[in-house]
Amino acid sequence: MIAYITGATSGFGRACAKRLAKLGYDVILNGRRKELLASLGQEIEDKYGVHVWLANYDVRELDAVKQSVADLPASWQAIDVLINNAGLAVGLTNIQDGDFDDWNRMIDTNIKGLLYVTRLISPLMIARGKGHIINIGSVAGKDVYGGGNVYCATKHAVDALNKAMRIDMLAYGVKVSQIAPGAAETEFSIVRFKGNKEAADKVYEGYKPLTEEDIADAVEYLVKLPPHVCVNDLIITSLNQANASIIHKK
Ligand code: NDP
Ligand code: 8X3
C-alpha cells in the first residue's frame, strides 16, 4: 500500500503521514522544506519500518510537479491514497485592503496546486481501477468569515472540486472524500499572520481547538472503510465551534 501526502512537513500532513505509515503504508512525502521532509522521512522509516519517497517540490510549480511524478519508479506509482493537503491562508483583511501577492499564493497553492497533483496522480489510480483521493477542505469552504474572503473562496473551490472529482472518478473505482476541518492548532495561523506568534496564539485562546491527530484519526477512519463504502464529505470541528465564524470562547 502506498500513500501520497502533499504538505507533509507540518500539521495535518505530517500527522497523516505518520499515521498511514503506522498502518503499514509506504509513503510519498511532499513539501517545500527539504530538511523537514528528510528528517520526517528518516523518522518514519526508523519508527514504522516502511519505505519513504521524498517529493520535494512546490505544488504551485507545474513543471516541478510533472517532473516529480515522472521520476517516480514504477513500484512507487501504485498509489492507493492521495491526500491533497498542502495549503495555506495568508493574511486576514477585507477585500479592499487585500494584498495581491497573498491572494496569488492562496489561489495558486490551494486550488491550482491541488489540481496539478490530482491531474497527474489520478490517471495512475484509474489505470489500476482503485484508489482514494482525500481532499483537505475546511469549514471555510462551507461558510465565510470576515477577512477570510480569498482563503474561504479557495476552500469553496476545494469543496466544489471534491464534488466534481467524485463524479469524474465514479466509473473508475476511485473514491473521493473531503475532510473539512474547523480551527486546528498547527502552523496554520503562524503562516496566516506571517510569523506573528502572538496573533496566531490568540486564535486558539479560550477553547480547545482540534489537533493534527484528530485529522489523522479521520483519515484512518476513511482508509479503513470497506471497498464499497465512500464518505463523500466530513465536517469536523472542536466541541466549541459551530461553523467557520462562530466559536464559543470562555
Ligand atoms: P500547516 O501550516 O501546519 O501545514 C501546511 C503544509 O502545507 C506544510 O507542510 C507546508 O509545507 C505545505 N505547503 C504549503 N504551501 C505549499 C506549497 N506551495 N507546496 C507544497 N507544500 C506546501 O497547516 P495545516 O496542517 O493546518 O494545513 C493543512 C491543510 O489543512 C491546508 O490545506 C489548510 O488550508 C487546511 N486546514 C487547516 C485548518 C486549521 O485550522 N489548521 C482547518 C481547516 C483546513 P512547506 O512549507 O514545507 O511547503
Ligand atoms: C482553516 C480554519 O478557521 O480559517 O481552514 O476556517 S479557519
Side-chain angles (χ1 to χ4, degrees):
M1 298 184 297
I2 298 176
Y4 194 119
I5 301 118
T6 69
T9 56
S10 169
F12 298 165
R14 180 178 56 199
C16 292
K18 289 185 190 177
R19 184 66 64 89
L20 289 167
K22 191 176 176 190
L23 295 176
Y25 284 81
D26 292 327
V27 287
I28 301 171
L29 307 177
N30 158 261
R32 292 167 301 176
R33 288 171 289 178
K34 200 173 182 178
E35 295 76 21
L36 284 181
L37 212 54
S39 62
L40 176 66
Q42 194 61 59
E43 182 189 341
I44 285 177
E45 278 177 348
D46 293 347
K47 194 161 178 192
Y48 303 111
V50 298
H51 297 103
V52 175
W53 182 271
L54 302 183
N56 177 213
Y57 63 81
D58 184 325
V59 296
R60 293 172 296 179
E61 304 293 337
L62 178 55
D63 288 344
V65 187
K66 281 183 177 168
Q67 191 60 56
S68 179
V69 175
D71 287 345
L72 281 177
S75 59
W76 279 99
Q77 289 178 18
I79 296 161
D80 297 286
V81 176
L82 164 63
I83 305 190
N84 275 323
N85 165 76
L88 77 179
V90 202
L92 187 70
T93 55
N94 291 339
I95 286 281
Q96 61 272 28
D97 303 317
D99 182 288
F100 295 113
D101 186 51
D102 292 350
W103 291 356
N104 286 333
R105 283 178 64 193
M106 289 187 275
I107 292 167
D108 290 350
T109 309
N110 301 358
I111 305 177
K112 291 164 71 179
L114 178 144
L115 282 170
Y116 295 161
V117 174
T118 305
R119 172 66 184 85
L120 292 160
I121 302 295
S122 59
L124 302 175
M125 294 179 165
I126 288 171
R128 298 171 67 229
K130 63 176 182 174
H132 194 165
I133 299 170
I134 300 176
N135 295 308
I136 305 298
S138 171
V139 290
K142 307 288 182 183
D143 285 307
V144 292
Y145 52 88
N149 40 60
V150 174
Y151 177 68
C152 295
T154 67
K155 289 298 180 178
H156 275 70
V158 173
D159 192 55
L161 287 169
N162 183 72
K163 286 186 249 185
M165 281 182 209
R166 179 84 181 100
I167 295 169
D168 294 347
M169 301 293 148
L170 205 53
Y172 303 103
V174 176
K175 296 184 185 184
V176 180
S177 307
Q178 173 173 244
I179 298 175
E185 194 164 4
T186 60
E187 290 181 9
F188 178 85
S189 291
I190 295 171
V191 172
R192 164 167 261 171
F193 296 113
K194 303 179 182 180
N196 182 341
K197 187 148 183 340
E198 207 181 320
D201 286 346
K202 276 210 175 76
V203 175
Y204 309 109
E205 270 173 17
Y207 70 107
K208 181 167 171 37
L210 294 174
T211 68
E212 57 200 49
E213 289 303 318
D214 296 323
I215 304 311
D217 286 345
V219 165
E220 177 170 352
Y221 165 69
L222 292 183
V223 301
K224 281 184 168 173
L225 286 168
H228 71 289
V229 180
C230 180
V231 170
N232 299 313
D233 202 1
L234 201 52
I235 300 175
I236 307 175
T237 65
S238 80
L239 176 63
N240 295 54
Q241 183 167 17
N243 57 37
S245 58
I246 302 178
I247 297 180
H248 179 69
K249 295 192 176 196
K250 289 198 184 103

